[in-house]
Amino acid sequence: MNKERIREEASYTARGQPNIAFVKYWGKRDERLILPYNSSVSMTLDPSINTTTSVMFSEKFKEDTLYINRDRQDISGGEAKERFALINTLRELAHTDAKALIVSENNFPTASGLASSASGIATLAYAAAEALGLELSEKELSIIARQGSGSACRSILGGIVVWHRGEKPDGSDSFAEQVVNEGYWEELRDVVAIVSTDKKRVSSRAGMKQTVATSLLYRIRPQIAEEYAGVAIDAVKNKDFGRLAETIMRDSSNMHAVMLDTYPPIVYLNDVSVRVMYAIYELNKAEGRNVAAYTFDAGANAHIITLEKDAERVEEALDGIEGISRILKLHQGGGPVLLGSEKSLISNEILDSLYQARS
Ligand code: PMV
């Protein structure tokens, strides 16, 4: 796996995107390796919402340093430290102890249900592997990204992606794979209704742990989701939008039902989210077929999956709903890409402060 020498003190910058799950992941059978109870299926989004991340490794750095949206993050404990484990895995593969400087920026609100962890971690895994001179396959990269944040493994690939739950205790068969590329069913769109940019009250990591521990309804969720994942893949391959749409809506509601069944309950949806659900239901009824499907992650923002020819009707249906601050129409996108060194987010100022800290 390890081909080249570490690219000491050169910065590598990548850009990657979030994904929206058609069939959701909620619950781990292994907390450390991040192995899910069920497979999930998603669509990688286009770069109009993205994360840019620059990574540099150096023996001269005293410690690992992470900046997100210009703020230095505390990575000495908690979820930030757990997410950082993927950097240790990459260092082991590259046989180095060099410390990392990571500077990352999202062009959309962090931790608001727009999947910032997916794009952030996938982009980080990709840029860090490049900076360490590792030549990893997409499968290997997805396994590494998975260890930072489950949903991130799906953002390693473009188009429609499945994350196989796998069976093995070491997680070697729990990886993401492309179902079809972004050109196969190009007409698919995600119309995002921004309802709230507040940070979520319960992180998905803490929330899903609580659900697995306390929800009785969760006992049947993995079987249901596994079945939905198969149906969604089949519907995508056959371009059967009606079937896909029903599966997306049913799965979103199933996940939010087990969240509500958690004790104490977890509620990410708000009254605007519920109004969006009804508006889409009414639209489908008026059209006499499913032209759109709502889905919600761990947040109140609505993702409406539709086809280009129906996107305008969806936007009209959303127009009248009070409480929506912004509507974005997103296409499908590819996996992370490397950007030129002129795009590096690592400034001389940051570097100087780190070198000074050492001396
Ligand atoms: O991987 P995490 O911790 O960001 O979990 C995200 C889970 C959901 O977004 C709610 C569902 C999914 O499959 O993306």
Side-chain angles (χ1 to χ4, degrees), residues 180-199:
V180 292
N181 69 23
E182 52 271 42
Y184 179 80
W185 199 0
E186 197 283 320
E187 300 82 355
L188 280 173
R189 299 288 178 266
D190 177 11
V191 178
V192 187
I194 309 280
V195 162
S196 160
T197 53
D198 294 347
K199 274 204 170 194

Side-chain angles (χ1 to χ4, degrees), residues 19 21 23-26 28 40 83 117-118 149-152 154 204-205 208 255 259 297-298:
N19 63 78
V23 177
K24 315 285 190 187
Y25 141 66
W26 191 256
K28 303 174 178 70
S40 50
R83 288 187 193 285
S117 75
S149 157
S151 59
R154 298 185 312 237
S204 45
R205 194 175 280 248
M208 60 178 84
M255 179 182 74
M259 288 166 165
D297 281 341

Side-chain angles (χ1 to χ4, degrees), residues 4-73:
E4 292 169 38
R5 192 171 68 76
I6 306 155
R7 290 153 169 173
E8 176 85 4
E9 288 180 57
S11 96
Y12 283 78
T13 301
R15 189 201 65 213
Q17 291 90 243
N19 63 78
I20 178 66
F22 291 173
V23 177
K24 315 285 190 187
Y25 141 66
W26 191 256
K28 303 174 178 70
R29 62 180 203 274
D30 184 311
E31 288 284 331
R32 190 180 60 83
L33 291 172
I34 308 196
L35 302 178
Y37 273 110
N38 59 264
S39 304
S40 50
V41 179
S42 60
M43 171 168 115
T44 302
L45 300 172
D46 79 58
S48 50
I49 55 174
N50 69 60
T51 302
T52 302
T53 301
S54 297
V55 181
M56 183 189 273
F57 283 89
S58 173
E59 303 278 358
K60 292 187 192 145
F61 298 148
K62 201 173 82 197
E63 57 189 4
D64 291 323
T65 308
L66 170 66
Y67 284 85
I68 298 179
N69 296 342
R70 285 156 218 249
D71 290 329
R72 190 165 174 170
Q73 308 290 310

